[in-house]
Amino acid sequence: MGNMDAPALLWFRQDLRLADNPILAAAGHRPVLPVFVLDEAAAGRWAPGGAARWWLHHSLAALGAALAARGAPLLLLRGRAEALLPALAARTGAAEVLAGRLYEPWARARDERLAAALRAEGRRLVLLPGALLREPEQVRSGSGRPYAIYTPFARAVAALGDPPPPLPAPERLRPVPEAPEGEPLAALGLLPTPPQPDWAAEFPALWTPGEAGAQARLARFLAGPLRDYGAARNNPGTEGTSGLSPHLRWGEVSPAQVWHAALAALGGDRAAARPFLAELLWREFSYHLLWHRPEMPEAPLRPRFAAFPWARDPALLRAWRRGRTGYPIVDAGMRQLWRLGWMHNRVRMIAASFLVKHLLQPWQDGAAWFWDTLVDADLASNSASWQWVAGCGTDAAPYFRVFNPVLQGERFDPAGRYVRRFVPELARLPDRYLHRPWEAPEAVLRQAGLALGRDYPRPVVEHAAARRRALATLREVAEDDAA
């Protein structure tokens, strides 16, 4: 393990927590220097988007306070990690840089460069698991190959048993004798700044970034929605989901802790816990795919789809982004996304399907918008889920599944609580017409104070015609793929 008396650099990345953090356990009683490097050049187009940057700012503030309270303040740096960290290790005499494993292709390439730079100076980069329940190499099919289908993957992970129990947070940390000065948090420029409007103004009403916020969100979920998760998670008008995705994305809570806490809250009843644990396993599956198929964020995993004849239309893409498609459940989701940096899981599927299938816009354009606007934007989950909806992933929705946005709205938001909240111009429409306002008689529209085409758009496409066009186009590609 190198010189166990020499200091260690604790390189925080997507593990912004103290509890169940293997890098803290591996540091032992050595002097430590916690450091975070904003390295946007290495990430390139996958540097955090606007909403994720907002989250990161507040998460770093929380982590910095928690580390300072334990005696070792967080050093903030900006620039290329493979240059900054070897210099910092040399300056402090650190023998090792301890970091949580990352799985994104750009991060893996950077880790290799950093490891080589440290090795040249007689130092080590030590990468530790902690972001997943199981490492991608641990989960192999009977033939030894990676999994391409979710269900056998989930069974294989379950067969490995529960993840190890979570580790406690350290009481105290031993700091390096003379820590260098870093950047102040504000200098990282993570928050929206004038003359930009403060598009994140409503975020704090819903979110508390940081480890304490993650623990509070977990406790709230365990005490309420978990018990009815199987049914309630599909209803966007109620708080039926965990809301843990951004906390997991930034590693403010470990998936192992969430797994054990959910089981404990249900008295160990695995059948009752299964619907929620399956969501954690979908996250695992997304990382498994990303690790073995690093092209996933940019290229379809089914090669035939590379030549898909998209009908690119900037006006349609803009209408979708702004929540102005004329389909209320889609528009409510897109406006929720813009206002709160998050969208309900069921509505993500509906909105994504609408973009790809009704509008025939490339899934990569939808994924890019989600990347910039979601506080939980996660490269593995975002790209795996978009490929699933588009039908071009390894384990995809069948091409002929085209969500009907009217029926989806009526089924999952029957009382209209969700649509009325996020599309208030429709609030006075009766339930009967809320998800199909174009069918409302003129008198009903007048009574609701609504003029279609002025207060709310008419549908940008007609559902039946769009469905026929999507099926004809998709069938051609899918049949070629099967040939």
Side-chain angles (χ1 to χ4, degrees):
M1 281 297 288
N3 182 349
M4 294 310 290
D5 295 320
L9 301 185
L10 304 181
W11 183 20
F12 285 88
R13 310 199 287 181
Q14 290 173 25
D15 52 351
L16 307 181
R17 66 180 184 274
L18 301 189
D20 198 29
N21 193 330
I23 70 173
L24 291 166
H29 298 293
R30 284 179 277 178
V32 295
L33 176 55
V35 58
F36 177 88
V37 183
L38 184 66
D39 184 356
E40 293 170 294
R45 64 177 295 199
W46 303 119
R53 290 168 72 87
W54 175 90
W55 190 285
L56 178 58
H57 174 96
H58 294 288
S59 191
L60 288 173
L63 179 67
L67 285 165
R70 284 161 176 79
L74 180 65
L75 179 72
L76 298 174
L77 298 175
R78 178 180 205 148
R80 286 198 170 272
E82 66 256 40
L84 292 169
L85 292 172
L88 190 60
R91 183 169 171 184
T92 56
E96 294 183 333
V97 176
L98 306 177
R101 271 188 91 181
L102 295 180
Y103 306 89
E104 294 84 354
W106 65 265
R108 292 166 65 180
R110 180 185 58 180
D111 286 348
E112 285 174 17
R113 296 193 302 269
L114 173 60
L118 288 168
R119 216 165 27 242
E121 299 177 1
R123 308 179 199 281
R124 295 204 317 158
L125 173 63
V126 180
L127 298 176
L128 297 154
L132 300 176
L133 299 168
R134 298 289 175 187
E135 295 306 294
E137 307 92 328
Q138 283 182 282
V139 190
R140 291 273 175 180
S141 64
S143 65
R145 287 197 293 270
Y147 282 97
I149 306 294
Y150 169 76
T151 304
F153 170 84
R155 275 200 299 266
V157 175
L160 294 171
D162 290 334
L167 305 161
E171 298 282 325
R172 295 290 301 163
L173 294 168
R174 188 177 156 203
V176 295
E178 290 175 32
E181 278 273 303
E183 302 257 7
L185 179 55
L188 297 186
L190 295 168
L191 295 177
T193 49
Q196 266 188 299
D198 186 6
W199 44 259
E202 287 188 67
F203 287 12
L206 182 62
W207 303 115
T208 307
E211 187 170 13
Q215 296 298 339
R217 174 74 66 173
L218 176 59
R220 177 165 147 179
F221 174 62
L222 298 177
L226 172 63
R227 288 165 202 291
D228 193 29
Y229 184 80
R233 73 191 175 108
N234 277 310
N235 183 344
T238 63
E239 187 184 333
T241 63
S242 73
L244 287 168
S245 53
H247 299 290
L248 283 163
R249 184 262 183 271
W250 289 107
E252 297 168 349
V253 63
S254 73
Q257 191 196 341
V258 174
W259 180 281
H260 285 286
L263 275 174
L266 295 169
D269 183 342
R270 286 177 187 276
R274 192 170 294 123
F276 177 65
L277 298 184
E279 295 300 313
L280 288 177
L281 292 175
W282 171 257
R283 176 179 179 270
E284 295 279 310
F285 181 56
S286 301
Y287 274 90
H288 185 82
L289 289 175
L290 181 65
W291 179 262
H292 293 291
R293 302 289 300 272
E295 72 275 21
M296 183 171 75
E298 325 222 359
L301 296 182
R302 290 170 66 187
R304 286 277 184 187
F305 276 79
F308 190 87
W310 301 110
R312 286 180 179 276
D313 185 325
L316 286 179
L317 180 62
R318 190 162 54 248
W320 177 80
R321 284 173 167 178
R322 292 181 177 176
R324 305 278 301 164
T325 68
Y327 285 90
I329 192 75
V330 174
D331 293 342
M334 299 308 294
R335 296 187 199 185
Q336 179 186 33
L337 173 62
W338 183 255
R339 280 174 51 185
L340 299 176
W342 185 82
M343 194 195 306
H344 185 274
N345 64 297
R346 164 59 58 172
V347 188
R348 289 188 200 200
M349 287 192 283
I350 300 167
S353 173
F354 187 84
L355 179 75
V356 172
K357 293 183 175 173
H358 284 74
L359 303 185
L360 281 190
Q361 301 306 297
W363 63 267
Q364 293 95 329
D365 290 353
W369 184 248
F370 275 24
W371 183 255
D372 196 42
T373 52
L374 281 170
V375 290
D376 64 14
D378 170 300
L379 194 59
S381 298
N382 194 41
S383 40
S385 297
W386 274 95
Q387 292 228 27
W388 181 86
V389 166
C392 58
T394 58
D395 185 8
Y399 76 88
F400 48 82
R401 178 184 286 175
V402 178
F403 284 118
N404 180 327
V406 176
L407 299 183
Q408 289 282 311
E410 289 174 343
R411 179 177 174 190
F412 294 111
D413 188 34
R417 284 176 58 180
Y418 182 72
V419 162
R420 288 189 172 94
R421 178 179 175 192
F422 292 106
V423 191
E425 60 267 44
L426 301 180
R428 290 165 56 197
L429 270 183
D431 291 353
R432 180 179 169 190
Y433 297 112
L434 184 66
H435 293 284
R436 45 179 93 217
W438 57 90
E439 290 184 10
E442 200 52 51
V444 172
L445 291 172
R446 259 200 317 277
Q447 202 168 359
L450 186 64
L452 288 181
R454 183 193 71 193
D455 306 313
Y456 184 70
R458 297 181 186 280
V460 292
V461 290
E462 194 264 323
H463 166 68
R467 182 175 186 276
R468 279 194 302 273
R469 180 181 69 160
L471 287 176
T473 315
L474 283 156
R475 186 178 295 117
E476 212 168 291
V477 175
E479 285 171 359
D480 278 354
D481 198 35

